[in-house]
Amino acid sequence: MTDPTLADLAGSDTPPETAAEAARRWVAEAIPASWREAAERGGPREVRTVRTPEDYRAWYPAFGTSGLVAPTWAVEHGGLGWSRPAAAAAEAVLRPYHLPRLNPLGLNLAAPVLFAHGTPAQRRRFLPPIVRAEELWCQLLSEPGAGSDLASLSTRAVRDGDGWVVDGQKVWTTWADQASFAVLLARTDPDVAKHAGLTFFFLPMHQPGVTVRPLPHIGGEVEFFETFMDGARIPDDHRIGAEREGWAITQTMLNAERQMVTGAGVGGVERIGGTGPTHLVRLARRRSAEGHAGGWDDPGVRERIVRLWAEDQARRWTNQRIRSTLAEGGTLGPEASIGKVQGTDLNQRIQSLAAELLGPAGIAWDGAAGSPHEFWESAPAEVRGMLRSRANTIEGGTTEVNKNVIAEKVLGLPRDPDPYKGRPWRELPRS
């Protein structure tokens, strides 16, 4: 009898040891030999030296169709239907080969909404292409006049036959230039209170009524975009939930986003901007080896690094518990804001120390006086990570908003007074 393949084991009550062995066979058959050999020599760091991002994207369909991207999901959704222990055993086998999940916004934002609020038909339609990264996703929430006060947004969706027509502008849209679909929150009833008049949609991005323009980062990198909708159309079967239930659905997605930004997502997003504390150790040791002050030989520097390492380890353990809860059918609540506040602040402190450990090389380098693109391309990776991390306490909900969520929904403290509470959106003052 031949050994069972992943397809043979899909949907079954697979023991962890069987899942791990099936994953090992899949690695031997599906991953190129040079990548496997690099992983065996030095793990993910070594893999990066022999595999380009373009190589990985070209190979990714082998991973996307394996079921291992989201093995706890049902087979009809692109997974294997495995238990959490079986999925964890397989993931341990895959870890040295550095197989990040592409399409993180689809996996971490659209998918939780579909599981919590979508219909069976919507899950079958959207989840498999998300897993295979055949349809990339972005998020259309923030607007020029509605950032922290998201519920005051003014993008309108109006019924038109068996669909909707959308007009408005969204900003800070990550990867909008690549996305096939966007999660969209739009106002469908301006005559009720601001939170009550919102509806949640999946917007097809590739249509004449959608225009995307770049918004460069502080360092010149383009990752964010502004999106204009001028008569864009959405079929009604792309509406998620009932009309005017958009705010409650958005909370599901925002909780998932906060966990993604802090490193707990299923899509392989470990941190946004820079690398982890172990890189600080390497930088500090290199600085001491080169005879510079302020390196690993400095007890104060060692203490700072070890404190950050301990905080990051606590974050990782907390996120592992969150992943287990999600895999067992649990949901993310307002407690997600705790991890978001702690994790994003921590990442900024890690990246700031990394840039500091470069010494003068973190202040001036060849190419720094060129164009924004030349600045970004020539900057040390630690400087790029530090600059990118500055957005961490804004994206996914600002730290101030998340502290309000913790205060009101976790600690039960009273809400701030709102003189406009309950009044129709049309009557609210807007910028």
Side-chain angles (χ1 to χ4, degrees):
M1 179 178 176
T2 60
D3 292 325
T5 65
L6 293 173
D8 295 330
L9 298 172
S12 67
D13 187 16
T14 302
E17 58 273 16
T18 304
E21 182 56 35
R24 279 189 284 270
R25 287 195 297 273
W26 178 84
V27 165
E29 296 170 1
I31 296 181
S34 61
W35 302 1
R36 297 198 309 269
E37 292 164 2
E40 291 160 6
R41 287 196 305 270
R45 285 178 59 84
E46 191 68 21
V47 171
R48 293 188 187 99
T49 68
V50 300
R51 188 185 74 197
T52 68
E54 292 74 21
D55 291 337
Y56 188 64
R57 284 192 290 270
W59 171 84
Y60 196 80
F63 190 27
T65 56
S66 69
L68 290 168
V69 170
T72 60
W73 292 9
V75 173
E76 65 176 347
H77 299 151
L80 292 168
W82 284 356
S83 67
R84 178 60 190 173
E91 184 62 30
V93 172
L94 300 181
R95 193 168 296 120
Y97 302 95
H98 184 51
L99 305 178
R101 275 67 170 172
L102 301 184
N103 204 14
L105 301 187
L107 289 164
N108 290 291
L109 303 184
V113 167
L114 284 164
F115 282 123
H117 304 283
T119 66
Q122 288 171 331
R123 295 185 195 115
R124 289 192 298 270
R125 161 62 186 87
F126 289 109
L127 288 172
I130 285 174
V131 170
R132 298 191 296 264
E134 294 172 348
E135 293 174 345
L136 303 183
W137 286 72
C138 66
Q139 177 193 73
L140 297 177
L141 294 186
S142 296
E143 299 182 4
S148 295
D149 185 14
L150 177 61
S152 67
L153 63 85
S154 58
T155 292
R156 289 292 309 278
V158 178
R159 269 278 193 181
D160 182 38
D162 60 354
W164 299 80
V165 176
V166 184
D167 293 279
Q169 178 187 0
K170 300 288 185 175
V171 295
W172 311 122
T173 307
T174 304
W175 302 322
D177 62 325
Q178 305 173 35
S180 300
F181 286 93
V183 293
L184 169 71
L185 187 62
R187 188 164 305 283
T188 53
D189 188 347
D191 297 314
V192 297
K194 60 182 182 180
H195 292 84
L198 302 169
T199 302
F200 199 98
F201 299 95
F202 286 170
L203 171 73
M205 291 289 286
H206 297 158
Q207 58 171 301
V210 176
T211 302
V212 174
R213 298 177 185 170
L215 292 170
H217 284 187
I218 188 174
E221 182 189 36
V222 175
E223 178 187 304
F224 293 143
F225 298 82
E226 56 183 346
T227 305
F228 298 85
M229 290 151 288
D230 183 10
R233 301 192 65 86
I234 304 176
D236 191 53
D237 61 6
H238 286 23
R239 171 177 48 83
I240 307 299
E243 294 179 41
R244 304 200 307 178
E245 289 186 356
W247 186 250
I249 296 171
T250 301
Q251 300 315 299
T252 297
M253 184 178 66
L254 290 177
N255 286 334
E257 182 183 24
R258 288 159 188 157
Q259 290 299 337
M260 180 184 71
V261 171
T262 196
V266 299
V269 180
E270 178 57 27
R271 67 184 72 249
I272 300 180
T275 57
T278 53
H279 185 61
L280 299 180
V281 176
R282 289 192 291 270
L283 285 173
R285 285 177 171 167
R286 188 179 73 193
R287 189 160 180 78
S288 290
E290 293 172 350
H292 302 301
W296 190 249
D297 292 341
D298 184 326
V301 171
R302 288 202 304 274
E303 181 179 3
R304 291 173 67 187
I305 293 174
V306 171
R307 283 181 178 273
L308 290 171
W309 182 91
E311 284 189 64
D312 195 62
Q313 188 61 51
R315 178 192 66 86
R316 293 170 65 89
W317 287 334
T318 300
N319 289 344
Q320 287 172 6
R321 289 196 295 272
I322 292 169
R323 291 188 183 104
S324 296
T325 298
L326 293 175
E328 293 166 4
T331 58
L332 291 171
E335 297 83 359
S337 291
I338 299 173
K340 205 280 181 179
V341 170
Q342 188 271 342
T344 54
D345 172 74
L346 170 61
N347 194 49
Q348 288 181 345
R349 287 184 280 124
I350 291 172
Q351 308 320 319
S352 292
L353 181 54
E356 180 183 331
L357 288 171
L358 294 179
I363 301 173
W365 56 88
D366 291 340
S371 68
H373 176 75
E374 290 170 331
F375 170 88
W376 182 260
E377 290 297 317
S378 63
E382 293 80 8
V383 173
R384 296 201 302 271
M386 180 272 292
L387 291 173
R388 179 60 184 86
S389 74
R390 304 319 300 168
N392 290 172
T393 47
I394 301 173
E395 56 199 345
T398 65
T399 293
E400 292 76 13
V401 166
N402 279 289
K403 285 182 176 180
N404 271 349
V405 172
I406 296 168
E408 295 169 5
K409 297 185 178 181
V410 179
L411 301 178
L413 299 178
R415 296 177 60 88
D416 291 337
D418 181 0
Y420 300 103
K421 183 176 175 61
R423 292 175 60 177
W425 177 82
R426 286 190 189 276
E427 300 178 6
L428 302 183
R430 293 187 294 279
S431 59

